[in-house]
Amino acid sequence: MGYLKELFGLDGKVALVTGGGRGIGQVVSLGLAKAGAAVAILSRTGADETVKLIEAAGGKACSLLADVTDEAQVDKAIGEIITRYGSLDIVFNNAGVCVHKDTFDASIAEWREVLDINLTGEYVVARSAGRAMKERGIRGSIINMASMSGSLVNVPQWQASYNASKAGVIHMTRSLAVEWAPYGIRVNSISPGYIATPMSVDTPQELKDAWMPLIPQNRMGDPEELIPPILCLASAASGYTTGSDVIVDGGYSAR
Ligand code: NDP
C-alpha cells in the first residue's frame, strides 16, 4: 500500500481544476483532494458546492472566479493560488463547451466561442501555469481535457467546432510536452467518450439511443471512471509519460 501511495498519492501537492463547479471537473476535483492535493477550482460562476464537498471529505479547496479565455483573469487566479498554497503542481485543464448544430446552421460566432473556450482557453491556462512552474522550478503535470471527438467524428450529432477544438487540444498538448520537457513539466491529454454529466445527460433520448450500439461497452461512462487515469497522469506514477493522449471511451474509438 505504501508503494502505491508513493506512486499515485498527491500529499502536499497543489492542483488547479478549471470548470470544477459541476460535471467531470467537480468529480475529479474531489478525487484529487482525496488523493491529498489542495484543489483550487476556477470557473466563471463559482464552485462553492465543490469546495463544500471537498472540505466535508477533510480536504483543502478554494473557488476562484475567472474566464479561461481572459489571460489577465487567469494570471491573477494563478498568482492567488501560489500565494495561498505556495505552489502549483498539477493542472486539470477541463473547462469546455459544446454546440450541437449542423454546420450550415451554426454561426461563425458559435464556432469562435467553442474554439475560444476549448482550445484558446486551455492554451491560456497551460501557458500561465507552465510559466509559473518554470519560474519556480516546479516539475509539474498539466492534463488537458480533450475528447474522443478530437480523433474521430462521432455521430449522429454534428459538432464540427467541438471536434476541431479537441483535435487542436491533442496536438497543442504534444507541442507543449516537447517544448517544456526540458523544464521537467509534463503535458498530457485525456480523451473521454460519452460521460454522464449535465453536458451529455440532458441530451435527447433518441440521440443516446443512437450512441449505445456504437459503444462496445454499451453504456456511458461515469465521471468517477476518469479519476484513476487522471491521478496517474497527475502523479509520480507517470513520470516518463508526456505528450500522450489517454482514451477512456468504453471502446468507442477501437471499432
Ligand atoms: P459541464 O458543462 O458539466 O461543465 C463545464 C464546466 O466548464 C463548468 O464548470 C463551467 O463553469 C466551465 N466553463 C465553461 N466555460 C468556461 C470559461 N469560459 N471559463 C471558465 N470556466 C468555464 O461539462 P462536462 O463536465 O460534461 O465537461 C467538462 C469537459 O469534459 C469539457 O471540456 C468537455 O468538452 C469534456 N468532455 C466531456 C464529455 C462528456 O461526455 N461529458 C466527453 C468528452 C469530453 P462556468 O459556467 O461556471 O464557467
mmCIF file of all heavy atoms in Angstrom, residues 19-25 42-46 66-69 94-97 117 145-147 162 166 192-195 197-200, ligand 1:
data_model
loop_
_atom_site.group_PDB
_atom_site.id
_atom_site.type_symbol
_atom_site.label_atom_id
_atom_site.label_comp_id
_atom_site.label_asym_id
_atom_site.label_seq_id
_atom_site.Cartn_x
_atom_site.Cartn_y
_atom_site.Cartn_z
ATOM 1 N N GLY A 19 -13.242 24.704 -14.530
ATOM 2 C CA GLY A 19 -14.573 24.129 -14.738
ATOM 3 C C GLY A 19 -14.906 23.057 -13.722
ATOM 4 O O GLY A 19 -15.548 22.060 -14.045
ATOM 5 N N GLY A 20 -14.485 23.271 -12.465
ATOM 6 C CA GLY A 20 -14.733 22.257 -11.436
ATOM 7 C C GLY A 20 -15.982 22.497 -10.611
ATOM 8 O O GLY A 20 -16.176 21.866 -9.574
ATOM 9 N N GLY A 21 -16.851 23.379 -11.067
ATOM 10 C CA GLY A 21 -18.068 23.675 -10.310
ATOM 11 C C GLY A 21 -19.150 22.631 -10.500
ATOM 12 O O GLY A 21 -20.098 22.548 -9.717
ATOM 13 N N ARG A 22 -19.028 21.842 -11.560
ATOM 14 C CA ARG A 22 -20.030 20.794 -11.816
ATOM 15 C C ARG A 22 -19.413 19.744 -12.748
ATOM 16 O O ARG A 22 -18.252 19.870 -13.149
ATOM 17 C CB ARG A 22 -21.294 21.397 -12.460
ATOM 18 C CG ARG A 22 -21.042 22.079 -13.790
ATOM 19 C CD ARG A 22 -22.350 22.498 -14.455
ATOM 20 N NE ARG A 22 -22.100 22.933 -15.817
ATOM 21 C CZ ARG A 22 -21.972 24.196 -16.198
ATOM 22 N NH1 ARG A 22 -22.078 25.172 -15.316
ATOM 23 N NH2 ARG A 22 -21.746 24.503 -17.472
ATOM 24 N N GLY A 23 -20.184 18.727 -13.054
ATOM 25 C CA GLY A 23 -19.789 17.740 -14.062
ATOM 26 C C GLY A 23 -18.473 17.033 -13.741
ATOM 27 O O GLY A 23 -18.142 16.774 -12.583
ATOM 28 N N ILE A 24 -17.730 16.730 -14.782
ATOM 29 C CA ILE A 24 -16.477 15.977 -14.640
ATOM 30 C C ILE A 24 -15.506 16.723 -13.720
ATOM 31 O O ILE A 24 -14.854 16.118 -12.863
ATOM 32 C CB ILE A 24 -15.830 15.765 -16.034
ATOM 33 C CG1 ILE A 24 -16.695 14.829 -16.889
ATOM 34 C CG2 ILE A 24 -14.402 15.217 -15.899
ATOM 35 C CD1 ILE A 24 -16.296 14.752 -18.354
ATOM 36 N N GLY A 25 -15.417 18.034 -13.887
ATOM 37 C CA GLY A 25 -14.464 18.824 -13.092
ATOM 38 C C GLY A 25 -14.734 18.708 -11.601
ATOM 39 O O GLY A 25 -13.808 18.647 -10.785
ATOM 40 N N LEU A 42 -11.360 26.830 -10.681
ATOM 41 C CA LEU A 42 -11.552 28.077 -11.415
ATOM 42 C C LEU A 42 -12.746 27.943 -12.366
ATOM 43 O O LEU A 42 -12.813 26.976 -13.133
ATOM 44 C CB LEU A 42 -10.259 28.339 -12.185
ATOM 45 C CG LEU A 42 -10.064 29.619 -12.962
ATOM 46 C CD1 LEU A 42 -8.584 29.946 -13.019
ATOM 47 C CD2 LEU A 42 -10.616 29.477 -14.359
ATOM 48 N N SER A 43 -13.679 28.889 -12.283
ATOM 49 C CA SER A 43 -14.807 28.886 -13.219
ATOM 50 C C SER A 43 -15.390 30.291 -13.267
ATOM 51 O O SER A 43 -14.984 31.165 -12.505
ATOM 52 C CB SER A 43 -15.880 27.885 -12.767
ATOM 53 O OG SER A 43 -16.435 28.304 -11.539
ATOM 54 N N ARG A 44 -16.352 30.495 -14.191
ATOM 55 C CA ARG A 44 -16.946 31.841 -14.304
ATOM 56 C C ARG A 44 -17.973 32.089 -13.216
ATOM 57 O O ARG A 44 -18.161 33.208 -12.770
ATOM 58 C CB ARG A 44 -17.605 32.010 -15.681
ATOM 59 C CG ARG A 44 -16.638 32.000 -16.833
ATOM 60 C CD ARG A 44 -17.357 31.882 -18.148
ATOM 61 N NE ARG A 44 -18.170 30.651 -18.202
ATOM 62 C CZ ARG A 44 -18.810 30.219 -19.269
ATOM 63 N NH1 ARG A 44 -18.752 30.906 -20.398
ATOM 64 N NH2 ARG A 44 -19.510 29.105 -19.224
ATOM 65 N N THR A 45 -18.685 31.034 -12.767
ATOM 66 C CA THR A 45 -19.802 31.261 -11.837
ATOM 67 C C THR A 45 -19.554 30.715 -10.433
ATOM 68 O O THR A 45 -20.442 30.762 -9.592
ATOM 69 C CB THR A 45 -21.102 30.645 -12.405
ATOM 70 O OG1 THR A 45 -20.879 29.250 -12.627
ATOM 71 C CG2 THR A 45 -21.522 31.290 -13.703
ATOM 72 N N GLY A 46 -18.366 30.169 -10.173
ATOM 73 C CA GLY A 46 -18.045 29.738 -8.809
ATOM 74 C C GLY A 46 -18.266 28.254 -8.586
ATOM 75 O O GLY A 46 -18.996 27.596 -9.333
ATOM 76 N N ALA A 66 -12.867 33.166 -12.719
ATOM 77 C CA ALA A 66 -12.129 33.640 -13.892
ATOM 78 C C ALA A 66 -12.706 32.976 -15.133
ATOM 79 O O ALA A 66 -13.257 31.879 -15.064
ATOM 80 C CB ALA A 66 -10.641 33.304 -13.782
ATOM 81 N N ASP A 67 -12.565 33.693 -16.243
ATOM 82 C CA ASP A 67 -12.934 33.131 -17.536
ATOM 83 C C ASP A 67 -11.637 32.640 -18.172
ATOM 84 O O ASP A 67 -10.671 33.406 -18.286
ATOM 85 C CB ASP A 67 -13.576 34.236 -18.396
ATOM 86 C CG ASP A 67 -14.139 33.696 -19.691
ATOM 87 O OD1 ASP A 67 -13.459 32.857 -20.331
ATOM 88 O OD2 ASP A 67 -15.245 34.114 -20.079
ATOM 89 N N VAL A 68 -11.597 31.376 -18.586
ATOM 90 C CA VAL A 68 -10.332 30.816 -19.093
ATOM 91 C C VAL A 68 -9.839 31.516 -20.364
ATOM 92 O O VAL A 68 -8.676 31.379 -20.728
ATOM 93 C CB VAL A 68 -10.419 29.285 -19.362
ATOM 94 C CG1 VAL A 68 -10.573 28.517 -18.067
ATOM 95 C CG2 VAL A 68 -11.530 28.950 -20.357
ATOM 96 N N THR A 69 -10.723 32.254 -21.028
ATOM 97 C CA THR A 69 -10.288 32.947 -22.242
ATOM 98 C C THR A 69 -9.636 34.288 -21.938
ATOM 99 O O THR A 69 -9.127 34.945 -22.842
ATOM 100 C CB THR A 69 -11.485 33.182 -23.200
ATOM 101 O OG1 THR A 69 -12.415 34.060 -22.551
ATOM 102 C CG2 THR A 69 -12.183 31.887 -23.552
ATOM 103 N N ASN A 94 -9.882 21.596 -17.733
ATOM 104 C CA ASN A 94 -11.097 20.835 -18.052
ATOM 105 C C ASN A 94 -12.255 21.671 -18.623
ATOM 106 O O ASN A 94 -13.128 21.134 -19.287
ATOM 107 C CB ASN A 94 -11.525 20.124 -16.754
ATOM 108 C CG ASN A 94 -12.963 19.688 -16.742
ATOM 109 O OD1 ASN A 94 -13.303 18.687 -17.369
ATOM 110 N ND2 ASN A 94 -13.818 20.424 -16.052
ATOM 111 N N ALA A 95 -12.264 22.989 -18.371
ATOM 112 C CA ALA A 95 -13.427 23.805 -18.775
ATOM 113 C C ALA A 95 -13.665 23.674 -20.282
ATOM 114 O O ALA A 95 -12.729 23.724 -21.075
ATOM 115 C CB ALA A 95 -13.190 25.267 -18.409
ATOM 116 N N GLY A 96 -14.917 23.506 -20.650
ATOM 117 C CA GLY A 96 -15.220 23.386 -22.075
ATOM 118 C C GLY A 96 -16.712 23.474 -22.346
ATOM 119 O O GLY A 96 -17.537 23.324 -21.433
ATOM 120 N N VAL A 97 -17.044 23.738 -23.604
ATOM 121 C CA VAL A 97 -18.443 23.841 -24.027
ATOM 122 C C VAL A 97 -18.612 23.098 -25.352
ATOM 123 O O VAL A 97 -17.627 22.814 -26.033
ATOM 124 C CB VAL A 97 -18.888 25.320 -24.213
ATOM 125 C CG1 VAL A 97 -18.911 26.057 -22.882
ATOM 126 C CG2 VAL A 97 -17.990 26.039 -25.211
ATOM 127 N N ILE A 117 -13.051 29.003 -26.043
ATOM 128 C CA ILE A 117 -13.069 28.395 -24.695
ATOM 129 C C ILE A 117 -12.267 27.092 -24.698
ATOM 130 O O ILE A 117 -11.365 26.902 -23.874
ATOM 131 C CB ILE A 117 -14.518 28.149 -24.212
ATOM 132 C CG1 ILE A 117 -15.251 29.487 -24.028
ATOM 133 C CG2 ILE A 117 -14.519 27.345 -22.902
ATOM 134 C CD1 ILE A 117 -16.718 29.378 -23.681
ATOM 135 N N MET A 145 -8.007 18.544 -21.066
ATOM 136 C CA MET A 145 -9.207 17.789 -21.417
ATOM 137 C C MET A 145 -9.408 17.852 -22.923
ATOM 138 O O MET A 145 -9.656 18.907 -23.495
ATOM 139 C CB MET A 145 -10.422 18.379 -20.689
ATOM 140 C CG MET A 145 -11.727 17.687 -21.038
ATOM 141 S SD MET A 145 -11.657 15.909 -20.758
ATOM 142 C CE MET A 145 -12.523 15.761 -19.200
ATOM 143 N N ALA A 146 -9.254 16.699 -23.569
ATOM 144 C CA ALA A 146 -9.589 16.594 -24.995
ATOM 145 C C ALA A 146 -10.918 15.842 -25.071
ATOM 146 O O ALA A 146 -11.826 16.076 -24.267
ATOM 147 C CB ALA A 146 -8.466 15.897 -25.751
ATOM 148 N N SER A 147 -11.045 14.920 -25.984
ATOM 149 C CA SER A 147 -12.268 14.117 -26.153
ATOM 150 C C SER A 147 -11.974 13.114 -27.255
ATOM 151 O O SER A 147 -11.115 13.369 -28.119
ATOM 152 C CB SER A 147 -13.431 15.018 -26.581
ATOM 153 O OG SER A 147 -14.491 14.239 -27.104
ATOM 154 N N TYR A 162 -16.643 21.753 -32.081
ATOM 155 C CA TYR A 162 -16.173 20.987 -30.912
ATOM 156 C C TYR A 162 -15.079 20.001 -31.327
ATOM 157 O O TYR A 162 -14.017 19.923 -30.702
ATOM 158 C CB TYR A 162 -17.362 20.247 -30.290
ATOM 159 C CG TYR A 162 -17.043 19.495 -29.014
ATOM 160 C CD1 TYR A 162 -16.971 20.157 -27.800
ATOM 161 C CD2 TYR A 162 -16.822 18.118 -29.029
ATOM 162 C CE1 TYR A 162 -16.686 19.461 -26.613
ATOM 163 C CE2 TYR A 162 -16.531 17.424 -27.857
ATOM 164 C CZ TYR A 162 -16.478 18.102 -26.652
ATOM 165 O OH TYR A 162 -16.190 17.416 -25.495
ATOM 166 N N LYS A 166 -11.121 20.023 -30.035
ATOM 167 C CA LYS A 166 -10.494 18.948 -29.270
ATOM 168 C C LYS A 166 -9.309 18.342 -30.031
ATOM 169 O O LYS A 166 -8.325 17.908 -29.416
ATOM 170 C CB LYS A 166 -11.528 17.885 -28.905
ATOM 171 C CG LYS A 166 -12.631 18.412 -27.969
ATOM 172 C CD LYS A 166 -12.084 18.923 -26.636
ATOM 173 C CE LYS A 166 -13.172 19.258 -25.644
ATOM 174 N NZ LYS A 166 -12.659 19.726 -24.342
ATOM 175 N N PRO A 192 -12.051 11.411 -23.107
ATOM 176 C CA PRO A 192 -13.197 10.559 -22.758
ATOM 177 C C PRO A 192 -14.132 10.372 -23.944
ATOM 178 O O PRO A 192 -14.183 11.195 -24.865
ATOM 179 C CB PRO A 192 -13.910 11.350 -21.651
ATOM 180 C CG PRO A 192 -12.968 12.436 -21.249
ATOM 181 C CD PRO A 192 -12.120 12.714 -22.446
ATOM 182 N N GLY A 193 -14.900 9.281 -23.856
ATOM 183 C CA GLY A 193 -16.058 9.124 -24.724
ATOM 184 C C GLY A 193 -17.245 9.774 -24.039
ATOM 185 O O GLY A 193 -17.091 10.779 -23.347
ATOM 186 N N TYR A 194 -18.446 9.186 -24.201
ATOM 187 C CA TYR A 194 -19.644 9.786 -23.596
ATOM 188 C C TYR A 194 -19.651 9.543 -22.087
ATOM 189 O O TYR A 194 -19.685 8.405 -21.630
ATOM 190 C CB TYR A 194 -20.902 9.174 -24.208
ATOM 191 C CG TYR A 194 -21.061 9.495 -25.680
ATOM 192 C CD1 TYR A 194 -20.984 8.499 -26.638
ATOM 193 C CD2 TYR A 194 -21.287 10.805 -26.099
ATOM 194 C CE1 TYR A 194 -21.124 8.795 -27.995
ATOM 195 C CE2 TYR A 194 -21.432 11.111 -27.450
ATOM 196 C CZ TYR A 194 -21.347 10.099 -28.385
ATOM 197 O OH TYR A 194 -21.483 10.402 -29.714
ATOM 198 N N ILE A 195 -19.632 10.627 -21.338
ATOM 199 C CA ILE A 195 -19.620 10.558 -19.874
ATOM 200 C C ILE A 195 -20.914 11.197 -19.369
ATOM 201 O O ILE A 195 -21.331 12.249 -19.871
ATOM 202 C CB ILE A 195 -18.396 11.327 -19.298
ATOM 203 C CG1 ILE A 195 -17.072 10.790 -19.901
ATOM 204 C CG2 ILE A 195 -18.375 11.261 -17.773
ATOM 205 C CD1 ILE A 195 -16.697 9.369 -19.528
ATOM 206 N N THR A 197 -22.799 13.447 -17.573
ATOM 207 C CA THR A 197 -22.740 14.730 -16.846
ATOM 208 C C THR A 197 -23.835 15.633 -17.416
ATOM 209 O O THR A 197 -24.470 15.265 -18.404
ATOM 210 C CB THR A 197 -21.397 15.453 -17.079
ATOM 211 O OG1 THR A 197 -21.361 15.871 -18.442
ATOM 212 C CG2 THR A 197 -20.208 14.570 -16.786
ATOM 213 N N PRO A 198 -24.018 16.825 -16.831
ATOM 214 C CA PRO A 198 -25.024 17.727 -17.398
ATOM 215 C C PRO A 198 -24.833 17.964 -18.896
ATOM 216 O O PRO A 198 -25.788 18.092 -19.650
ATOM 217 C CB PRO A 198 -24.816 19.031 -16.612
ATOM 218 C CG PRO A 198 -24.262 18.589 -15.303
ATOM 219 C CD PRO A 198 -23.425 17.368 -15.606
ATOM 220 N N MET A 199 -23.538 17.979 -19.361
ATOM 221 C CA MET A 199 -23.305 18.250 -20.782
ATOM 222 C C MET A 199 -23.905 17.163 -21.673
ATOM 223 O O MET A 199 -24.367 17.419 -22.767
ATOM 224 C CB MET A 199 -21.793 18.380 -21.064
ATOM 225 C CG MET A 199 -21.467 18.837 -22.462
ATOM 226 S SD MET A 199 -19.690 18.779 -22.827
ATOM 227 C CE MET A 199 -19.207 20.453 -22.484
ATOM 228 N N SER A 200 -23.924 15.919 -21.200
ATOM 229 C CA SER A 200 -24.381 14.823 -22.057
ATOM 230 C C SER A 200 -25.681 14.179 -21.580
ATOM 231 O O SER A 200 -26.443 13.647 -22.382
ATOM 232 C CB SER A 200 -23.285 13.756 -22.152
ATOM 233 O OG SER A 200 -22.833 13.423 -20.866
HETATM 234 P P1 NDP B 1 -20.157 20.810 -17.856
HETATM 235 O O1 NDP B 1 -20.934 21.653 -18.782
HETATM 236 O O2 NDP B 1 -20.877 19.995 -16.832
HETATM 237 O O3 NDP B 1 -19.053 21.702 -17.111
HETATM 238 C C1 NDP B 1 -18.265 22.605 -17.836
HETATM 239 C C2 NDP B 1 -17.515 23.452 -16.848
HETATM 240 O O4 NDP B 1 -16.685 24.372 -17.584
HETATM 241 C C3 NDP B 1 -18.406 24.270 -15.944
HETATM 242 O O5 NDP B 1 -17.932 24.176 -14.613
HETATM 243 C C4 NDP B 1 -18.246 25.697 -16.473
HETATM 244 O O6 NDP B 1 -18.361 26.600 -15.384
HETATM 245 C C5 NDP B 1 -16.826 25.662 -17.019
HETATM 246 N N1 NDP B 1 -16.587 26.672 -18.057
HETATM 247 C C6 NDP B 1 -17.185 26.759 -19.277
HETATM 248 N N2 NDP B 1 -16.719 27.829 -19.941
HETATM 249 C C7 NDP B 1 -15.804 28.431 -19.121
HETATM 250 C C8 NDP B 1 -14.984 29.571 -19.250
HETATM 251 N N3 NDP B 1 -15.002 30.346 -20.354
HETATM 252 N N4 NDP B 1 -14.161 29.893 -18.232
HETATM 253 C C9 NDP B 1 -14.130 29.142 -17.107
HETATM 254 N N5 NDP B 1 -14.879 28.035 -16.923
HETATM 255 C C10 NDP B 1 -15.722 27.696 -17.935
HETATM 256 O O7 NDP B 1 -19.249 19.869 -18.793
HETATM 257 P P2 NDP B 1 -18.637 18.406 -18.589
HETATM 258 O O8 NDP B 1 -18.272 18.185 -17.178
HETATM 259 O O9 NDP B 1 -19.501 17.432 -19.277
HETATM 260 O O10 NDP B 1 -17.321 18.552 -19.477
HETATM 261 C C11 NDP B 1 -16.097 19.006 -18.938
HETATM 262 C C12 NDP B 1 -15.040 18.837 -20.013
HETATM 263 O O11 NDP B 1 -15.007 17.479 -20.458
HETATM 264 C C13 NDP B 1 -15.270 19.683 -21.264
HETATM 265 O O12 NDP B 1 -14.022 20.171 -21.739
HETATM 266 C C14 NDP B 1 -15.831 18.679 -22.257
HETATM 267 O O13 NDP B 1 -15.587 19.040 -23.584
HETATM 268 C C15 NDP B 1 -15.072 17.431 -21.863
HETATM 269 N N6 NDP B 1 -15.705 16.187 -22.271
HETATM 270 C C16 NDP B 1 -16.955 15.865 -21.815
HETATM 271 C C17 NDP B 1 -17.539 14.681 -22.191
HETATM 272 C C18 NDP B 1 -18.884 14.279 -21.707
HETATM 273 O O14 NDP B 1 -19.444 13.298 -22.237
HETATM 274 N N7 NDP B 1 -19.453 14.951 -20.722
HETATM 275 C C19 NDP B 1 -16.857 13.756 -23.113
HETATM 276 C C20 NDP B 1 -15.549 14.184 -23.519
HETATM 277 C C21 NDP B 1 -15.008 15.356 -23.104
HETATM 278 P P3 NDP B 1 -18.947 28.109 -15.535
HETATM 279 O O15 NDP B 1 -20.104 28.029 -16.488
HETATM 280 O O16 NDP B 1 -19.263 28.473 -14.126
HETATM 281 O O17 NDP B 1 -17.807 28.910 -16.060
#
